[in-house]
Amino acid sequence: MNNFKSLDEYIEYLHTWIKNELDKTHKDGVVIGISGGVDSAVCFALAKLHNDIKKIIPVFLDINSTQLDKTCVKDMETTFNVIIPTIDLKPMHQDFVNLLKITNKLAVANIKPRLRMISLYALAQENNCLVLGTSNADEIYLGYFTKHGDGASDICPLADMTKNQVFYLAKKLNVPTSIIQRAPSASLYEGQTDEAEMGLTYKAIDDFLEGKEIDTQSLEKIRKYHTNNLHKLSGLNVPLKFNNRK
């Protein structure tokens, strides 16, 4: 965040950046999947900051979501005085699993964010909007997201923000306490938390991205995640050009 004096100033920049991206693409607003987590809450709050974006369409795409997810979404509605429609994708998810005979636990889980992204893009096209992504710098560096799922978006305002900075923004933007205090989770399955699944703390990832020293075990895991997931961070993987065309 070069040339920004504070995160407060960066908040204003991010809101303006979202508006400018809409102007450049001649879109009316944004569609955002609200998960009950801090990243989507902050992205929604950034878009809504000055109530000057024509369309802000939040949706809660429920696929066996936890009760905590649902409670946090309700808290979002109360805090921001907004209705967040719930769309039940559970039957569609189960149809996919049954039709394709998927038994791998992670494969079953990763169908969820991919179904959600299909839904968000359909809603965005229907409403002349962009899909507002919620990935932060930690997730992007590690590749800790589902390819063509929650990692897909048109604009991604938190891409340069560590998890700690996201939480700072959450407090500044009056995100509900229930969301700020919950353990970060993609809610891919019951009891799942990001840090337990990664075997890493967000503090260690934040410290690494900020150039601070971290323990050897965490450093090795971060490097391994980054290397193994580089395919998620690049564009379409294509071979060399055939230059003998006549």
Side-chain angles (χ1 to χ4, degrees), residues 17-56:
W17 178 79
I18 293 170
K19 282 188 63 185
N20 288 343
E21 292 302 306
L22 294 174
D23 290 341
K24 285 196 298 187
T25 53
H26 305 288
K27 300 297 184 182
D28 294 329
V30 295
V31 171
I32 178 171
I34 302 297
S35 66
V38 68
D39 298 310
S40 65
V42 167
C43 286
F44 173 80
L46 284 171
K48 196 178 186 321
L49 186 61
H50 296 305
N51 294 310
D52 54 0
I53 292 177
K54 183 178 178 182
K55 290 182 181 179
I56 301 175

Side-chain angles (χ1 to χ4, degrees), residues 6-239:
S6 67
L7 281 174
D8 294 325
E9 185 177 322
Y10 197 59
I11 288 173
E12 292 294 332
Y13 161 74
L14 287 176
H15 177 76
T16 301
W17 178 79
I18 293 170
K19 282 188 63 185
N20 288 343
E21 292 302 306
L22 294 174
D23 290 341
K24 285 196 298 187
T25 53
H26 305 288
K27 300 297 184 182
D28 294 329
V30 295
V31 171
I32 178 171
I34 302 297
S35 66
V38 68
D39 298 310
S40 65
V42 167
C43 286
F44 173 80
L46 284 171
K48 196 178 186 321
L49 186 61
H50 296 305
N51 294 310
D52 54 0
I53 292 177
K54 183 178 178 182
K55 290 182 181 179
I56 301 175
I57 303 175
V59 288
F60 176 49
L61 301 170
D62 185 2
I63 311 176
N64 296 316
S65 298
T66 67
Q67 186 54 52
L68 180 56
D69 293 333
K70 296 173 184 177
T71 298
C72 289
V73 172
K74 287 293 183 185
D75 291 344
M76 282 276 293
E77 290 185 313
T78 301
T79 299
F80 293 104
N81 190 28
V82 64
I83 295 174
I84 302 175
T86 296
I87 300 174
D88 184 9
L89 296 179
K90 179 181 177 181
M92 189 180 299
H93 176 260
Q94 194 59 53
D95 285 345
F96 263 86
V97 172
N98 293 342
L99 181 64
L100 300 175
K101 297 181 174 60
I102 305 300
T103 58
N104 179 280
K105 181 180 179 181
L106 188 57
V108 169
N110 279 329
I111 292 173
K112 295 179 181 181
R114 290 182 175 126
L115 278 178
R116 289 181 175 126
M117 195 52 63
I118 289 171
S119 304
L120 293 176
Y121 268 96
L123 289 169
Q125 191 167 11
E126 177 72 13
N127 291 278
N128 192 41
C129 289
L130 296 179
V131 173
L132 187 61
T134 63
S135 296
N136 58 58
D138 296 40
E139 294 166 346
I140 292 171
Y141 187 82
L142 266 63
Y144 186 67
F145 54 82
T146 300
K147 192 173 185 178
H148 307 307
D150 55 321
S153 63
D154 293 314
I155 52 175
C156 193
L158 304 183
D160 194 46
M161 305 204 69
T162 64
K163 196 70 172 183
N164 183 58
Q165 290 171 333
V166 172
F167 277 112
Y168 181 89
L169 259 66
K171 294 174 183 177
K172 288 287 184 179
L173 293 167
N174 298 317
V175 166
T177 303
S178 59
I179 294 176
I180 293 173
Q181 292 182 344
R182 71 176 294 187
S185 170
S187 294
L188 293 179
Y189 47 86
E190 189 67 37
Q192 185 257 355
T193 65
D194 294 350
E195 292 183 326
E197 186 172 54
M198 291 187 294
L200 285 164
T201 65
Y202 274 113
K203 183 181 186 308
I205 305 167
D206 288 351
D207 286 348
F208 170 79
L209 292 177
E210 292 170 1
K212 300 175 183 176
E213 288 190 13
I214 61 172
D215 65 275
T216 302
Q217 186 177 16
S218 294
L219 180 60
E220 289 177 354
K221 285 184 177 180
I222 289 171
R223 286 175 172 169
K224 185 176 180 180
Y225 262 106
H226 179 72
T227 301
N228 289 349
N229 290 327
L230 279 174
H231 67 97
K232 296 183 182 182
L233 306 174
S234 60
L236 185 65
N237 190 3
V238 298

